[in-house]
Short mmCIF file of all heavy atoms in Angstrom, two decimals:
data_model
loop_
_atom_site.label_atom_id
_atom_site.label_comp_id
_atom_site.label_asym_id
_atom_site.label_seq_id
_atom_site.Cartn_x
_atom_site.Cartn_y
_atom_site.Cartn_z
N MET H 1 30.83 180.83 -13.03
CA MET H 1 32.20 180.46 -12.77
C MET H 1 32.32 179.93 -11.34
O MET H 1 31.71 180.47 -10.43
CB MET H 1 33.10 181.68 -12.98
CG MET H 1 34.58 181.36 -12.91
SD MET H 1 35.66 182.78 -13.17
CE MET H 1 35.45 183.08 -14.89
N SER H 2 33.10 178.89 -11.16
CA SER H 2 33.24 178.31 -9.82
C SER H 2 34.09 179.20 -8.93
O SER H 2 34.81 180.08 -9.41
CB SER H 2 33.88 176.92 -9.93
OG SER H 2 35.26 177.05 -10.15
N HIS H 3 34.05 178.93 -7.66
CA HIS H 3 34.84 179.70 -6.71
C HIS H 3 36.34 179.54 -6.97
O HIS H 3 37.10 180.50 -6.87
CB HIS H 3 34.51 179.28 -5.27
CG HIS H 3 33.10 179.59 -4.90
ND1 HIS H 3 32.67 180.87 -4.65
CD2 HIS H 3 32.03 178.79 -4.75
CE1 HIS H 3 31.38 180.85 -4.36
NE2 HIS H 3 30.96 179.61 -4.42
N VAL H 4 36.78 178.34 -7.32
CA VAL H 4 38.20 178.11 -7.59
C VAL H 4 38.63 178.91 -8.82
O VAL H 4 39.68 179.54 -8.81
CB VAL H 4 38.50 176.60 -7.79
CG1 VAL H 4 39.92 176.39 -8.26
CG2 VAL H 4 38.22 175.83 -6.50
N LEU H 5 37.83 178.89 -9.85
CA LEU H 5 38.19 179.64 -11.06
C LEU H 5 38.15 181.14 -10.82
O LEU H 5 38.86 181.89 -11.49
CB LEU H 5 37.29 179.23 -12.22
CG LEU H 5 37.48 177.80 -12.73
CD1 LEU H 5 36.52 177.51 -13.88
CD2 LEU H 5 38.91 177.53 -13.15
N GLN H 6 37.35 181.60 -9.88
CA GLN H 6 37.36 183.02 -9.53
C GLN H 6 38.66 183.39 -8.82
O GLN H 6 39.22 184.45 -9.04
CB GLN H 6 36.17 183.37 -8.65
CG GLN H 6 34.86 183.40 -9.39
CD GLN H 6 33.67 183.61 -8.47
OE1 GLN H 6 33.77 183.47 -7.26
NE2 GLN H 6 32.54 183.94 -9.06
N ARG H 7 39.15 182.48 -7.96
CA ARG H 7 40.40 182.74 -7.24
C ARG H 7 41.62 182.58 -8.14
O ARG H 7 42.65 183.20 -7.91
CB ARG H 7 40.52 181.80 -6.03
CG ARG H 7 39.58 182.17 -4.90
CD ARG H 7 39.87 181.35 -3.68
NE ARG H 7 39.82 179.93 -3.99
CZ ARG H 7 38.99 179.06 -3.42
NH1 ARG H 7 38.15 179.45 -2.50
NH2 ARG H 7 39.01 177.79 -3.77
N TYR H 8 41.53 181.68 -9.12
CA TYR H 8 42.64 181.39 -10.02
C TYR H 8 42.16 181.51 -11.47
O TYR H 8 42.04 180.51 -12.18
CB TYR H 8 43.20 179.98 -9.75
CG TYR H 8 43.59 179.77 -8.31
CD1 TYR H 8 42.75 179.09 -7.44
CD2 TYR H 8 44.80 180.25 -7.82
CE1 TYR H 8 43.10 178.89 -6.12
CE2 TYR H 8 45.16 180.06 -6.50
CZ TYR H 8 44.30 179.38 -5.65
OH TYR H 8 44.65 179.20 -4.35
N PRO H 9 41.89 182.71 -11.92
CA PRO H 9 41.31 182.89 -13.26
C PRO H 9 42.18 182.34 -14.39
O PRO H 9 41.67 181.99 -15.45
CB PRO H 9 41.11 184.39 -13.38
CG PRO H 9 41.98 185.00 -12.34
CD PRO H 9 42.13 183.97 -11.25
N GLU H 10 43.50 182.23 -14.15
CA GLU H 10 44.38 181.68 -15.20
C GLU H 10 44.04 180.23 -15.53
O GLU H 10 44.31 179.76 -16.63
CB GLU H 10 45.85 181.82 -14.80
CG GLU H 10 46.27 181.02 -13.59
CD GLU H 10 46.00 181.70 -12.23
OE1 GLU H 10 45.31 182.71 -12.17
OE2 GLU H 10 46.51 181.17 -11.24
N LEU H 11 43.39 179.53 -14.59
CA LEU H 11 42.98 178.14 -14.87
C LEU H 11 41.94 178.08 -15.98
O LEU H 11 41.87 177.10 -16.72
CB LEU H 11 42.44 177.47 -13.61
CG LEU H 11 43.45 177.15 -12.53
CD1 LEU H 11 42.76 176.57 -11.31
CD2 LEU H 11 44.52 176.21 -13.05
N SER H 12 41.14 179.11 -16.10
CA SER H 12 40.13 179.14 -17.17
C SER H 12 40.78 179.15 -18.54
O SER H 12 40.19 178.70 -19.52
CB SER H 12 39.25 180.38 -17.03
OG SER H 12 38.52 180.33 -15.85
N GLN H 13 42.00 179.66 -18.61
CA GLN H 13 42.71 179.75 -19.89
C GLN H 13 43.49 178.48 -20.22
O GLN H 13 43.97 178.32 -21.33
CB GLN H 13 43.68 180.94 -19.86
CG GLN H 13 43.00 182.26 -19.54
CD GLN H 13 41.86 182.59 -20.49
OE1 GLN H 13 42.01 182.47 -21.69
NE2 GLN H 13 40.72 182.98 -19.96
N ALA H 14 43.62 177.57 -19.26
CA ALA H 14 44.39 176.34 -19.48
C ALA H 14 43.64 175.41 -20.43
O ALA H 14 42.41 175.41 -20.49
CB ALA H 14 44.61 175.63 -18.14
N THR H 15 44.42 174.64 -21.19
CA THR H 15 43.81 173.64 -22.07
C THR H 15 43.29 172.49 -21.22
O THR H 15 43.65 172.34 -20.04
CB THR H 15 44.86 173.08 -23.06
OG1 THR H 15 45.85 172.35 -22.32
CG2 THR H 15 45.50 174.19 -23.87
N ASN H 16 42.44 171.66 -21.81
CA ASN H 16 41.95 170.50 -21.08
C ASN H 16 43.09 169.59 -20.67
O ASN H 16 43.09 169.04 -19.57
CB ASN H 16 40.92 169.74 -21.91
CG ASN H 16 39.60 170.45 -21.98
OD1 ASN H 16 39.31 171.31 -21.15
ND2 ASN H 16 38.80 170.13 -22.96
N GLU H 17 44.08 169.43 -21.54
CA GLU H 17 45.23 168.59 -21.20
C GLU H 17 45.97 169.16 -19.98
O GLU H 17 46.36 168.42 -19.07
CB GLU H 17 46.17 168.48 -22.38
CG GLU H 17 47.33 167.51 -22.12
CD GLU H 17 48.13 167.23 -23.37
OE1 GLU H 17 47.54 167.02 -24.44
OE2 GLU H 17 49.37 167.24 -23.24
N GLN H 18 46.15 170.47 -19.93
CA GLN H 18 46.82 171.10 -18.79
C GLN H 18 46.00 170.92 -17.52
O GLN H 18 46.55 170.68 -16.44
CB GLN H 18 47.05 172.58 -19.07
CG GLN H 18 48.08 172.85 -20.12
CD GLN H 18 48.11 174.30 -20.56
OE1 GLN H 18 47.06 174.96 -20.66
NE2 GLN H 18 49.31 174.81 -20.83
N LYS H 19 44.68 171.01 -17.64
CA LYS H 19 43.81 170.83 -16.47
C LYS H 19 43.90 169.40 -15.96
O LYS H 19 43.93 169.17 -14.74
CB LYS H 19 42.37 171.21 -16.82
CG LYS H 19 42.18 172.70 -17.03
CD LYS H 19 40.77 172.99 -17.53
CE LYS H 19 40.61 174.45 -17.88
NZ LYS H 19 39.30 174.74 -18.47
N ILE H 20 43.93 168.43 -16.87
CA ILE H 20 44.04 167.03 -16.47
C ILE H 20 45.39 166.79 -15.79
O ILE H 20 45.46 166.09 -14.77
CB ILE H 20 43.83 166.09 -17.67
CG1 ILE H 20 42.36 166.15 -18.10
CG2 ILE H 20 44.24 164.65 -17.33
CD1 ILE H 20 42.07 165.46 -19.41
N GLU H 21 46.46 167.38 -16.32
CA GLU H 21 47.77 167.27 -15.68
C GLU H 21 47.73 167.84 -14.27
O GLU H 21 48.31 167.27 -13.34
CB GLU H 21 48.83 167.98 -16.50
CG GLU H 21 49.21 167.26 -17.78
CD GLU H 21 50.19 168.06 -18.63
OE1 GLU H 21 50.88 168.95 -18.09
OE2 GLU H 21 50.26 167.78 -19.84
N LEU H 22 47.05 168.97 -14.10
CA LEU H 22 46.92 169.58 -12.78
C LEU H 22 46.15 168.65 -11.84
O LEU H 22 46.54 168.47 -10.68
CB LEU H 22 46.22 170.93 -12.88
CG LEU H 22 45.92 171.63 -11.55
CD1 LEU H 22 47.19 171.89 -10.77
CD2 LEU H 22 45.15 172.92 -11.80
N ILE H 23 45.09 168.06 -12.32
CA ILE H 23 44.31 167.11 -11.51
C ILE H 23 45.20 165.96 -11.07
O ILE H 23 45.19 165.56 -9.89
CB ILE H 23 43.07 166.61 -12.28
CG1 ILE H 23 42.07 167.75 -12.44
CG2 ILE H 23 42.44 165.42 -11.58
CD1 ILE H 23 40.97 167.47 -13.44
N ASP H 24 45.99 165.42 -12.01
CA ASP H 24 46.91 164.33 -11.67
C ASP H 24 47.87 164.77 -10.56
O ASP H 24 48.12 164.02 -9.61
CB ASP H 24 47.72 163.89 -12.90
CG ASP H 24 46.91 163.08 -13.88
OD1 ASP H 24 45.82 162.58 -13.53
OD2 ASP H 24 47.38 162.93 -15.03
N GLU H 25 48.44 165.96 -10.70
CA GLU H 25 49.38 166.45 -9.70
C GLU H 25 48.70 166.66 -8.35
O GLU H 25 49.28 166.34 -7.30
CB GLU H 25 50.02 167.76 -10.17
CG GLU H 25 51.03 167.57 -11.27
CD GLU H 25 51.71 168.88 -11.66
OE1 GLU H 25 51.89 169.76 -10.80
OE2 GLU H 25 52.05 169.01 -12.85
N LEU H 26 47.50 167.20 -8.37
CA LEU H 26 46.77 167.40 -7.11
C LEU H 26 46.47 166.08 -6.42
O LEU H 26 46.67 165.94 -5.20
CB LEU H 26 45.48 168.19 -7.36
CG LEU H 26 45.66 169.65 -7.75
CD1 LEU H 26 44.32 170.25 -8.19
CD2 LEU H 26 46.26 170.43 -6.60
N TRP H 27 45.99 165.09 -7.18
CA TRP H 27 45.70 163.78 -6.59
C TRP H 27 46.97 163.16 -6.01
O TRP H 27 46.95 162.57 -4.93
CB TRP H 27 45.07 162.84 -7.61
CG TRP H 27 43.59 162.99 -7.69
CD1 TRP H 27 42.87 163.38 -8.78
CD2 TRP H 27 42.63 162.77 -6.65
NE1 TRP H 27 41.53 163.41 -8.46
CE2 TRP H 27 41.35 163.05 -7.17
CE3 TRP H 27 42.73 162.37 -5.31
CZ2 TRP H 27 40.20 162.94 -6.42
CZ3 TRP H 27 41.57 162.27 -4.56
CH2 TRP H 27 40.33 162.55 -5.11
N GLU H 28 48.08 163.28 -6.74
CA GLU H 28 49.34 162.72 -6.25
C GLU H 28 49.76 163.41 -4.95
O GLU H 28 50.23 162.75 -4.02
CB GLU H 28 50.44 162.85 -7.30
CG GLU H 28 51.78 162.31 -6.86
CD GLU H 28 51.76 160.86 -6.41
OE1 GLU H 28 50.93 160.07 -6.90
OE2 GLU H 28 52.57 160.50 -5.53
N SER H 29 49.60 164.72 -4.86
CA SER H 29 49.97 165.42 -3.64
C SER H 29 49.08 165.02 -2.47
O SER H 29 49.55 164.90 -1.33
CB SER H 29 49.93 166.94 -3.84
OG SER H 29 48.61 167.42 -3.93
N ILE H 30 47.81 164.75 -2.75
CA ILE H 30 46.90 164.28 -1.69
C ILE H 30 47.28 162.87 -1.27
O ILE H 30 47.40 162.56 -0.09
CB ILE H 30 45.44 164.34 -2.17
CG1 ILE H 30 44.99 165.78 -2.35
CG2 ILE H 30 44.52 163.59 -1.20
CD1 ILE H 30 43.67 165.95 -3.08
N ARG H 31 47.53 162.00 -2.28
CA ARG H 31 47.87 160.62 -1.98
C ARG H 31 49.15 160.53 -1.17
O ARG H 31 49.23 159.80 -0.19
CB ARG H 31 48.03 159.82 -3.28
CG ARG H 31 48.23 158.32 -3.05
CD ARG H 31 48.82 157.63 -4.27
NE ARG H 31 50.15 158.11 -4.62
CZ ARG H 31 51.28 157.80 -3.96
NH1 ARG H 31 51.24 157.03 -2.91
NH2 ARG H 31 52.44 158.28 -4.36
N SER H 32 50.16 161.30 -1.56
CA SER H 32 51.45 161.21 -0.88
C SER H 32 51.42 161.83 0.52
O SER H 32 52.31 161.58 1.32
CB SER H 32 52.55 161.83 -1.72
OG SER H 32 52.32 163.20 -1.89
N SER H 33 50.39 162.63 0.82
CA SER H 33 50.30 163.23 2.15
C SER H 33 49.89 162.20 3.20
O SER H 33 50.11 162.40 4.39
CB SER H 33 49.29 164.38 2.15
OG SER H 33 47.96 163.88 2.12
N GLY H 34 49.30 161.07 2.75
CA GLY H 34 48.89 160.02 3.68
C GLY H 34 47.69 160.39 4.52
O GLY H 34 47.39 159.74 5.51
N GLU H 35 46.98 161.42 4.14
CA GLU H 35 45.86 161.90 4.94
C GLU H 35 44.52 161.77 4.24
O GLU H 35 43.65 162.61 4.39
CB GLU H 35 46.10 163.35 5.33
CG GLU H 35 47.36 163.55 6.15
CD GLU H 35 47.63 165.01 6.46
OE1 GLU H 35 46.73 165.84 6.28
OE2 GLU H 35 48.74 165.31 6.87
N ILE H 36 44.34 160.72 3.47
CA ILE H 36 43.09 160.53 2.74
C ILE H 36 42.10 159.78 3.62
O ILE H 36 42.38 158.67 4.07
CB ILE H 36 43.32 159.76 1.43
CG1 ILE H 36 44.29 160.51 0.54
CG2 ILE H 36 41.99 159.53 0.70
CD1 ILE H 36 44.71 159.76 -0.69
N ALA H 37 40.97 160.38 3.87
CA ALA H 37 39.90 159.74 4.62
C ALA H 37 38.74 159.48 3.67
O ALA H 37 38.12 160.42 3.17
CB ALA H 37 39.46 160.61 5.79
N LEU H 38 38.48 158.23 3.38
CA LEU H 38 37.41 157.88 2.45
C LEU H 38 36.17 157.41 3.20
O LEU H 38 36.28 156.67 4.18
CB LEU H 38 37.86 156.76 1.51
CG LEU H 38 39.04 157.07 0.60
CD1 LEU H 38 39.45 155.83 -0.16
CD2 LEU H 38 38.67 158.18 -0.37
N PRO H 39 35.00 157.80 2.73
CA PRO H 39 33.77 157.29 3.33
C PRO H 39 33.66 155.78 3.10
O PRO H 39 34.18 155.25 2.11
CB PRO H 39 32.65 158.02 2.57
CG PRO H 39 33.31 159.17 1.90
CD PRO H 39 34.73 158.79 1.67
N ALA H 40 33.00 155.09 4.00
CA ALA H 40 32.84 153.63 3.89
C ALA H 40 32.19 153.24 2.56
O ALA H 40 32.55 152.23 1.97
CB ALA H 40 32.01 153.11 5.06
N SER H 41 31.27 154.06 2.07
CA SER H 41 30.61 153.75 0.80
C SER H 41 31.60 153.73 -0.36
O SER H 41 31.47 152.94 -1.29
CB SER H 41 29.48 154.73 0.52
OG SER H 41 29.99 156.06 0.41
N HIS H 42 32.60 154.59 -0.31
CA HIS H 42 33.62 154.61 -1.36
C HIS H 42 34.48 153.35 -1.29
O HIS H 42 34.82 152.76 -2.33
CB HIS H 42 34.50 155.84 -1.24
CG HIS H 42 33.80 157.12 -1.56
ND1 HIS H 42 34.47 158.27 -1.88
CD2 HIS H 42 32.48 157.45 -1.60
CE1 HIS H 42 33.61 159.25 -2.12
NE2 HIS H 42 32.39 158.77 -1.94
N LEU H 43 34.84 152.95 -0.08
CA LEU H 43 35.63 151.73 0.08
C LEU H 43 34.85 150.51 -0.39
O LEU H 43 35.42 149.62 -1.04
CB LEU H 43 36.05 151.57 1.54
CG LEU H 43 37.02 152.65 2.04
CD1 LEU H 43 37.23 152.51 3.54
CD2 LEU H 43 38.33 152.62 1.29
N THR H 44 33.56 150.48 -0.12
CA THR H 44 32.71 149.38 -0.58
C THR H 44 32.69 149.33 -2.10
O THR H 44 32.81 148.26 -2.70
CB THR H 44 31.28 149.54 -0.02
OG1 THR H 44 31.35 149.52 1.40
CG2 THR H 44 30.36 148.43 -0.51
N GLU H 45 32.56 150.48 -2.73
CA GLU H 45 32.55 150.54 -4.20
C GLU H 45 33.90 150.12 -4.77
O GLU H 45 33.96 149.39 -5.77
CB GLU H 45 32.17 151.94 -4.67
CG GLU H 45 32.18 152.13 -6.17
CD GLU H 45 31.19 151.26 -6.93
OE1 GLU H 45 30.25 150.71 -6.31
OE2 GLU H 45 31.34 151.13 -8.16
N LEU H 46 34.98 150.55 -4.16
CA LEU H 46 36.31 150.13 -4.61
C LEU H 46 36.46 148.62 -4.52
O LEU H 46 36.99 147.97 -5.44
CB LEU H 46 37.40 150.82 -3.80
CG LEU H 46 37.62 152.30 -4.11
CD1 LEU H 46 38.59 152.89 -3.09
CD2 LEU H 46 38.14 152.51 -5.51
N ASP H 47 36.01 148.04 -3.41
CA ASP H 47 36.06 146.58 -3.26
C ASP H 47 35.25 145.89 -4.35
O ASP H 47 35.68 144.88 -4.91
CB ASP H 47 35.55 146.16 -1.88
CG ASP H 47 36.52 146.48 -0.76
OD1 ASP H 47 37.73 146.68 -1.05
OD2 ASP H 47 36.08 146.55 0.40
N ARG H 48 34.06 146.42 -4.64
CA ARG H 48 33.22 145.84 -5.68
C ARG H 48 33.92 145.86 -7.03
O ARG H 48 33.95 144.87 -7.77
CB ARG H 48 31.88 146.58 -5.77
CG ARG H 48 30.89 145.98 -6.77
CD ARG H 48 29.73 146.91 -7.07
NE ARG H 48 30.11 148.09 -7.81
CZ ARG H 48 30.43 148.11 -9.12
NH1 ARG H 48 30.44 147.00 -9.82
NH2 ARG H 48 30.75 149.24 -9.72
N ARG H 49 34.55 146.99 -7.34
CA ARG H 49 35.25 147.12 -8.62
C ARG H 49 36.47 146.22 -8.69
O ARG H 49 36.76 145.64 -9.75
CB ARG H 49 35.64 148.58 -8.86
CG ARG H 49 34.43 149.47 -9.09
CD ARG H 49 34.86 150.90 -9.34
NE ARG H 49 33.70 151.77 -9.44
CZ ARG H 49 33.73 152.97 -9.97
NH1 ARG H 49 34.86 153.45 -10.48
NH2 ARG H 49 32.65 153.71 -10.01
N LEU H 50 37.19 146.09 -7.59
CA LEU H 50 38.35 145.19 -7.58
C LEU H 50 37.93 143.74 -7.79
O LEU H 50 38.59 143.00 -8.52
CB LEU H 50 39.12 145.33 -6.26
CG LEU H 50 40.00 146.56 -6.16
CD1 LEU H 50 40.55 146.70 -4.74
CD2 LEU H 50 41.14 146.50 -7.16
N GLU H 51 36.84 143.35 -7.17
CA GLU H 51 36.33 141.98 -7.36
C GLU H 51 35.93 141.76 -8.82
O GLU H 51 36.20 140.70 -9.39
CB GLU H 51 35.16 141.70 -6.43
CG GLU H 51 35.57 141.45 -4.99
CD GLU H 51 36.56 140.29 -4.87
OE1 GLU H 51 36.36 139.23 -5.50
OE2 GLU H 51 37.56 140.46 -4.14
N ALA H 52 35.29 142.75 -9.43
CA ALA H 52 34.91 142.64 -10.84
C ALA H 52 36.15 142.52 -11.71
O ALA H 52 36.18 141.72 -12.66
CB ALA H 52 34.07 143.85 -11.26
N LEU H 53 37.19 143.27 -11.38
CA LEU H 53 38.44 143.21 -12.14
C LEU H 53 39.13 141.86 -11.97
O LEU H 53 39.65 141.30 -12.93
CB LEU H 53 39.36 144.34 -11.70
CG LEU H 53 40.68 144.48 -12.44
CD1 LEU H 53 40.45 144.71 -13.93
CD2 LEU H 53 41.48 145.61 -11.85
N ARG H 54 39.11 141.33 -10.76
CA ARG H 54 39.70 140.00 -10.53
C ARG H 54 38.94 138.93 -11.32
O ARG H 54 39.54 138.00 -11.83
CB ARG H 54 39.71 139.68 -9.05
CG ARG H 54 40.75 140.44 -8.27
CD ARG H 54 40.80 140.03 -6.81
NE ARG H 54 41.67 140.91 -6.07
CZ ARG H 54 41.27 141.78 -5.15
NH1 ARG H 54 39.98 141.86 -4.83
NH2 ARG H 54 42.12 142.56 -4.54
N ALA H 55 37.64 139.09 -11.41
CA ALA H 55 36.82 138.12 -12.14
C ALA H 55 37.03 138.24 -13.65
O ALA H 55 36.95 137.24 -14.36
CB ALA H 55 35.34 138.32 -11.80
N ASP H 56 37.31 139.45 -14.12
CA ASP H 56 37.51 139.67 -15.56
C ASP H 56 38.59 140.72 -15.77
O ASP H 56 38.30 141.91 -15.90
CB ASP H 56 36.20 140.12 -16.21
CG ASP H 56 36.32 140.30 -17.72
OD1 ASP H 56 37.41 140.03 -18.28
OD2 ASP H 56 35.33 140.72 -18.33
N PRO H 57 39.87 140.30 -15.81
CA PRO H 57 40.97 141.24 -15.96
C PRO H 57 40.92 142.07 -17.24
O PRO H 57 41.57 143.11 -17.32
CB PRO H 57 42.21 140.34 -15.96
CG PRO H 57 41.79 139.09 -15.27
CD PRO H 57 40.33 138.93 -15.61
N THR H 58 40.14 141.65 -18.22
CA THR H 58 40.05 142.45 -19.45
C THR H 58 39.32 143.77 -19.23
O THR H 58 39.32 144.63 -20.11
CB THR H 58 39.35 141.66 -20.58
OG1 THR H 58 37.99 141.42 -20.22
CG2 THR H 58 40.07 140.35 -20.87
N LEU H 59 38.71 143.95 -18.07
CA LEU H 59 38.05 145.22 -17.75
C LEU H 59 39.07 146.33 -17.49
O LEU H 59 38.72 147.51 -17.56
CB LEU H 59 37.17 145.06 -16.51
CG LEU H 59 35.95 144.15 -16.63
CD1 LEU H 59 35.29 143.98 -15.28
CD2 LEU H 59 34.98 144.71 -17.65
N ALA H 60 40.31 145.95 -17.19
CA ALA H 60 41.34 146.94 -16.85
C ALA H 60 41.67 147.81 -18.05
O ALA H 60 41.63 147.37 -19.19
CB ALA H 60 42.60 146.23 -16.35
N MET H 61 42.02 149.05 -17.75
CA MET H 61 42.40 150.00 -18.79
C MET H 61 43.67 150.69 -18.32
O MET H 61 43.75 151.15 -17.17
CB MET H 61 41.27 151.03 -18.96
CG MET H 61 41.48 152.01 -20.08
SD MET H 61 40.13 153.21 -20.24
CE MET H 61 38.77 152.16 -20.68
N ASP H 62 44.66 150.78 -19.21
CA ASP H 62 45.89 151.46 -18.80
C ASP H 62 45.63 152.96 -18.74
O ASP H 62 44.68 153.47 -19.35
CB ASP H 62 47.05 151.12 -19.75
CG ASP H 62 46.84 151.65 -21.15
OD1 ASP H 62 46.96 152.88 -21.32
OD2 ASP H 62 46.56 150.84 -22.05
N PRO H 63 46.45 153.69 -17.97
CA PRO H 63 46.20 155.13 -17.80
C PRO H 63 46.12 155.91 -19.11
O PRO H 63 45.30 156.81 -19.24
CB PRO H 63 47.39 155.59 -16.95
CG PRO H 63 47.81 154.37 -16.21
CD PRO H 63 47.56 153.22 -17.15
N GLN H 64 46.97 155.58 -20.07
CA GLN H 64 46.94 156.30 -21.36
C GLN H 64 45.60 156.09 -22.07
O GLN H 64 45.03 157.04 -22.62
CB GLN H 64 48.09 155.84 -22.25
CG GLN H 64 48.20 156.63 -23.54
CD GLN H 64 48.49 158.10 -23.32
OE1 GLN H 64 49.12 158.48 -22.34
NE2 GLN H 64 48.00 158.94 -24.21
N ALA H 65 45.08 154.88 -22.05
CA ALA H 65 43.78 154.60 -22.67
C ALA H 65 42.67 155.35 -21.95
O ALA H 65 41.75 155.88 -22.59
CB ALA H 65 43.51 153.10 -22.70
N ALA H 66 42.76 155.40 -20.63
CA ALA H 66 41.74 156.12 -19.85
C ALA H 66 41.75 157.61 -20.19
O ALA H 66 40.71 158.22 -20.39
CB ALA H 66 41.97 155.90 -18.36
N ARG H 67 42.95 158.19 -20.27
CA ARG H 67 43.05 159.61 -20.61
C ARG H 67 42.51 159.87 -22.02
O ARG H 67 41.83 160.86 -22.26
CB ARG H 67 44.50 160.08 -20.51
CG ARG H 67 44.95 160.26 -19.07
CD ARG H 67 46.35 160.86 -19.02
NE ARG H 67 46.78 160.99 -17.65
CZ ARG H 67 47.49 160.08 -16.99
NH1 ARG H 67 47.89 158.98 -17.58
NH2 ARG H 67 47.84 160.29 -15.73
N SER H 68 42.83 158.96 -22.92
CA SER H 68 42.34 159.10 -24.29
C SER H 68 40.81 159.07 -24.33
O SER H 68 40.17 159.87 -25.02
CB SER H 68 42.91 157.98 -25.16
OG SER H 68 42.38 158.04 -26.45
N LEU H 69 40.23 158.17 -23.55
CA LEU H 69 38.77 158.08 -23.47
C LEU H 69 38.18 159.36 -22.89
O LEU H 69 37.16 159.87 -23.37
CB LEU H 69 38.38 156.87 -22.64
CG LEU H 69 36.90 156.60 -22.47
CD1 LEU H 69 36.26 156.29 -23.82
CD2 LEU H 69 36.68 155.43 -21.51
N LEU H 70 38.82 159.91 -21.87
CA LEU H 70 38.33 161.14 -21.24
C LEU H 70 38.42 162.34 -22.18
O LEU H 70 37.60 163.25 -22.12
CB LEU H 70 39.13 161.44 -19.97
CG LEU H 70 38.85 160.53 -18.79
CD1 LEU H 70 39.85 160.80 -17.68
CD2 LEU H 70 37.43 160.72 -18.28
N ARG H 71 39.39 162.33 -23.06
CA ARG H 71 39.58 163.45 -23.98
C ARG H 71 38.54 163.47 -25.10
O ARG H 71 38.34 164.48 -25.74
CB ARG H 71 40.98 163.41 -24.57
CG ARG H 71 42.02 163.80 -23.55
CD ARG H 71 43.41 163.87 -24.15
NE ARG H 71 44.36 164.24 -23.13
CZ ARG H 71 45.37 163.49 -22.75
NH1 ARG H 71 45.62 162.34 -23.36
NH2 ARG H 71 46.18 163.90 -21.80
N ARG H 72 37.87 162.36 -25.34
CA ARG H 72 36.86 162.31 -26.40
C ARG H 72 35.60 163.01 -26.01
O ARG H 72 35.21 163.28 -25.01
CB ARG H 72 36.51 160.86 -26.73
CG ARG H 72 37.57 160.23 -27.54
CD ARG H 72 37.12 158.91 -28.05
NE ARG H 72 38.16 157.93 -27.68
CZ ARG H 72 37.95 156.66 -27.52
NH1 ARG H 72 36.76 156.16 -27.64
NH2 ARG H 72 38.92 155.86 -27.23
#
């Protein structure tokens, strides 16, 4: 069991959908704090992916489709 699940054992009982909702909320709280420091390698990868998306917009996936894919 991870350290987080030891501190918050009720998370172990949550459904996968509830866990994903929690992840979404956590990311939003981090994003809205304005204090995200990304390593240069992550920014480089994001740039690479954006360029690939600009070259082929059909690569894009809406959030609902992404969640559906993750649930499989």
